[in-house]
Amino acid sequence: SVNQMDLSCMPQLSRHETTILRFSDDQNMFEERFVQLEAERRHGNTLTRDAGRLDAPHDPALAELGMSASEDSARRGDSSRRGTRNKDRRFFDTEIVYSGVKLPIRVPMTVYPEEISDFSLIQLLTTFAGGLAAPSGKATHPHLESSGQYTHPIVLLMNGLLTQKRVIFLGHGKPAGEVANYVLAAVALGSGGGGVLRGFANRTFPYTNLTNLDTLLSFSGYIAGVTNPAFEEHPEWWDLLCNINTGKISVSSALAVPPAAHAKSQADALRRSLDSVSLSRNRSFSSRDGKPDKWNNLDTEFVQDLMVAIERHYGEVAIRAKVENYVRRFMSLVPLYEIERTGTTKLGDSAHIAATADKSDGYSISPGDKESRDHEIAFYQSRIEGFIGTQAYHNAVADYQSMQSSCFIRGIDIAHMVYCLRNSTNLDVNEVEAIYKRLDEQVVTDEQVTELLASLPQSQGGLQPLAYGFYHPSPAIRLYTVRLFEKIEGNLAGTRYVRSTNFFHQCAFSNLRYAFSC
């Protein structure tokens, strides 16, 4: 029955279109694609029915009856077309016939490759965010405890996933399905909401037991769920153990520290802790004595952002989007670290990055941003070193090579440009103008506009970072912004983006377009 499911009216969305639809505030995004396929199907059915009538013997009474049926069918078609406007296009509605009974099916259109089944990332975060990492009794591990003794449990788990450590979720007395949900949520956490890295699902065991121990231990960096407390008594079987009952995460006492990092692990942990406190000096102070909060660093700010969003009842998709942005930001630092250390990288164009280090064409970084970036690289150095060489790293290299042959915008880093426009406060006029100019030059075709919109999800403000150009003192920047918005407005999804922007942005766009056209 499942193999006979009718998917003829389900459009095949590209990766960028999937991202746009996933984070869209408009449930009718790409409505036209669905309606077109549905109209083509109705037209095909009509042709088939008419062909059958032509083959039938001619009878005036039957012909009159046939015309009445045709008119009735047309009216029903118009009614069904009006009904499609109320559908949530993030799902495709179809049905299967099982034992003569029609069963409705909703096929999700926005699932990422590393998202498996229906799990809750919010449940994973709330379970382990409140506990403390259990000490291993050994020196801090540089790949895991990135902030030494102040490493947040969620960050500890993230580090373990990114550096391909063996992770076990133990739920003694818990149903196997509940334990499996934590495992699948961890896969989404490490892969960046399921959309940045891949390879985690291939080494995942949602539920296992002692019977399959040999098979489990044969996998490097497995992610497994168990209910038998015997696993906790054998730290040589795992590197990280996440106890669902207590909410604590333990580092195995049998986990060896990398030889090259053993001598400097303690010093690096202390340095990163002190650096993180220094970075947060002007951002957060404790309410007790006005001193910087030692828990507040680059990682725990991310965790705090997640927890605040959960407290404000943000949805599952919004939480996964924050995780995706965090992992993407980390992945943007990996090639820069490789360039600094070895002079080459497989995750980017080494010559282009080195040649444009001081230019504003996508890899540009202003002095203030460069200082922040260098600090981030130094802070994540141990995690990056542990990540390089993992299966996720090799998959990322393969994905980058594949992307180079399939992407439509080349020669600039769209994600970095959007990041600068959204977050940077130190860009001078020349840098801002260079970004808008390059966007105007490189974003021309409909496919390129779609790729740009994928970096501007509506759930994170949509076109807001670009719309700031309407109010810039520089006439050139205002002109580039208008031209860019005109291209976006001509795109199928871009039209909805422009209509959903702030009313004042729409007025500025209309007024400036008229002014520049005169």
Side-chain angles (χ1 to χ4, degrees):
S1 298
V2 174
N3 293 332
Q4 295 177 355
M5 184 188 305
D6 183 12
L7 301 178
S8 59
C9 293
M10 185 175 75
Q12 299 298 316
L13 301 181
S14 67
R15 174 60 184 270
H16 297 126
E17 290 172 335
T18 299
T19 301
I20 292 173
L21 182 59
R22 179 185 178 94
F23 300 114
S24 174
D25 297 330
D26 185 356
Q27 68 176 15
N28 292 321
M29 184 69 72
F30 300 115
E31 171 79 19
E32 297 80 1
R33 297 275 297 275
F34 288 88
V35 172
Q36 180 183 358
L37 291 175
E38 292 167 358
E40 291 175 356
R41 179 180 179 179
R42 285 194 298 270
H43 181 65
N45 293 339
T46 301
L47 292 178
T48 302
R49 184 173 57 252
D50 292 344
R53 292 198 186 109
L54 291 175
D55 294 338
H58 179 71
D59 187 332
L62 292 177
E64 183 179 353
L65 180 61
M67 290 185 63
S68 300
S70 178
E71 293 172 357
D72 182 64
S73 176
R75 286 193 296 269
R76 288 199 307 269
D78 292 338
S79 177
S80 64
R81 280 192 291 273
R82 288 192 296 269
T84 59
R85 299 294 178 178
N86 299 322
K87 290 185 177 180
D88 185 351
R89 294 307 185 180
R90 287 168 291 193
F91 299 90
F92 174 72
D93 295 317
T94 184
E95 60 185 20
I96 61 174
V97 179
Y98 181 74
S99 297
V101 179
K102 291 184 178 181
L103 303 176
I105 300 293
R106 302 197 81 190
V107 181
M109 298 287 295
T110 60
V111 176
Y112 280 157
E114 293 289 308
E115 288 182 306
I116 307 171
S117 185
D118 187 16
F119 58 86
S120 173
L121 190 58
I122 293 177
Q123 183 183 32
L124 173 71
L125 296 173
T126 53
T127 298
F128 294 102
L132 297 176
S136 62
K138 297 178 59 177
T140 56
H141 196 288
H143 293 173
L144 299 176
E145 296 156 304
S146 52
S147 297
Q149 60 179 321
Y150 301 116
T151 304
H152 194 281
I154 296 298
V155 176
L156 185 64
L157 176 59
M158 176 71 82
N159 289 340
L161 295 169
L162 290 175
T163 57
Q164 198 168 319
K165 298 298 186 289
R166 300 174 299 174
V167 180
I168 277 185
F169 285 87
L170 171 62
H172 180 50
K174 299 284 186 179
E178 181 179 343
V179 176
N181 285 334
Y182 281 94
V183 176
L184 298 178
V187 171
L189 179 67
S191 60
V196 182
L197 299 172
R198 61 183 179 88
F200 294 85
N202 297 336
R203 48 191 174 89
T204 298
F205 296 80
Y207 175 75
T208 189
N209 50 43
L210 292 175
T211 306
N212 302 320
L213 181 61
D214 292 338
T215 303
L216 180 67
L217 296 180
S218 66
F219 280 78
S220 173
Y222 62 76
I223 309 169
V226 300
T227 58
N228 193 330
F231 280 89
E232 191 170 15
E233 301 172 1
H234 293 272
E236 68 277 7
W237 292 349
W238 44 267
D239 300 324
L240 280 181
L241 187 139
C242 307
N243 194 315
I244 299 173
N245 300 77
T246 63
K248 292 184 178 180
I249 300 179
S250 305
V251 179
S252 173
S253 58
L255 180 60
V257 177
H262 182 73
K264 62 177 183 178
S265 60
Q266 290 285 1
D268 283 350
L270 178 60
R271 172 183 56 79
R272 285 190 292 270
S273 296
L274 294 177
D275 286 349
S276 65
V277 171
S278 177
L279 182 70
S280 305
R281 187 177 299 276
N282 296 322
R283 303 187 198 175
S284 175
F285 293 86
S286 65
S287 59
R288 296 185 304 273
D289 51 10
K291 295 181 179 180
D293 184 359
K294 293 182 179 181
W295 277 89
N296 196 338
N297 55 43
L298 294 173
D299 281 331
T300 53
E301 285 178 1
F302 159 69
V303 176
Q304 289 170 1
D305 182 38
L306 288 177
M307 301 314 298
V308 169
I310 293 174
E311 290 176 359
R312 294 177 179 176
H313 305 289
Y314 279 46
E316 183 74 18
V317 173
I319 299 301
R320 296 184 193 184
K322 292 180 179 294
V323 173
E324 180 177 347
N325 292 336
Y326 176 79
V327 176
R328 285 194 187 279
R329 180 60 180 168
F330 167 74
M331 287 302 300
S332 70
L333 300 176
V334 176
L336 298 176
Y337 173 83
E338 291 182 312
I339 289 290
E340 290 183 0
R341 289 294 183 268
T342 64
T344 184
T345 180
K346 297 180 180 179
L347 290 172
D349 189 337
S350 304
H352 186 73
I353 295 176
T356 60
D358 299 323
K359 299 179 182 178
S360 301
D361 65 346
Y363 292 100
S364 63
I365 296 195
S366 64
D369 289 328
K370 185 178 186 303
E371 180 182 354
S372 175
R373 182 205 66 180
D374 291 342
H375 176 83
E376 286 186 75
I377 292 177
F379 185 82
Y380 291 124
Q381 175 181 343
S382 296
R383 179 195 287 178
I384 295 174
E385 291 174 349
F387 173 74
I388 295 175
T390 63
Q391 186 60 49
Y393 171 82
H394 292 301
N395 289 338
V397 171
D399 290 342
Y400 172 77
Q401 300 298 331
S402 175
M403 182 187 68
Q404 292 307 296
S405 61
S406 62
C407 67
F408 299 99
I409 301 178
R410 302 182 182 181
I412 60 175
D413 187 345
I414 288 292
H416 174 71
M417 284 184 166
V418 172
Y419 179 85
C420 287
L421 293 177
R422 179 180 286 124
N423 300 301
S424 298
T425 58
N426 300 307
L427 295 177
D428 58 34
V429 176
N430 294 331
E431 290 175 318
V432 175
E433 181 175 343
I435 290 177
Y436 278 98
K437 180 180 179 181
R438 292 288 285 175
L439 287 175
D440 179 51
E441 293 173 346
Q442 295 293 327
V443 180
V444 179
T445 67
D446 194 64
E447 293 82 2
Q448 291 171 336
V449 172
T450 300
E451 187 170 339
L452 172 63
L453 295 178
S455 299
L456 295 163
Q458 286 186 314
S459 61
Q460 299 176 38
L463 299 177
Q464 186 83 3
L466 297 181
Y468 292 141
F470 288 136
Y471 315 103
H472 200 281
S474 170
I477 294 177
R478 296 199 299 271
L479 175 60
Y480 290 137
T481 307
V482 170
R483 292 172 58 177
L484 197 57
F485 265 67
E486 288 177 337
K487 298 173 187 177
I488 294 174
E489 192 177 37
N491 179 271
L492 186 65
T495 302
R496 296 179 181 273
Y497 264 73
V498 174
R499 287 205 302 258
S500 66
T501 55
N502 186 286
F503 174 74
F504 295 100
H505 295 334
Q506 296 185 48
C507 290
F509 175 39
S510 178
N511 294 336
L512 287 174
R513 178 162 55 179
Y514 175 78
F516 285 120
S517 64
C518 294

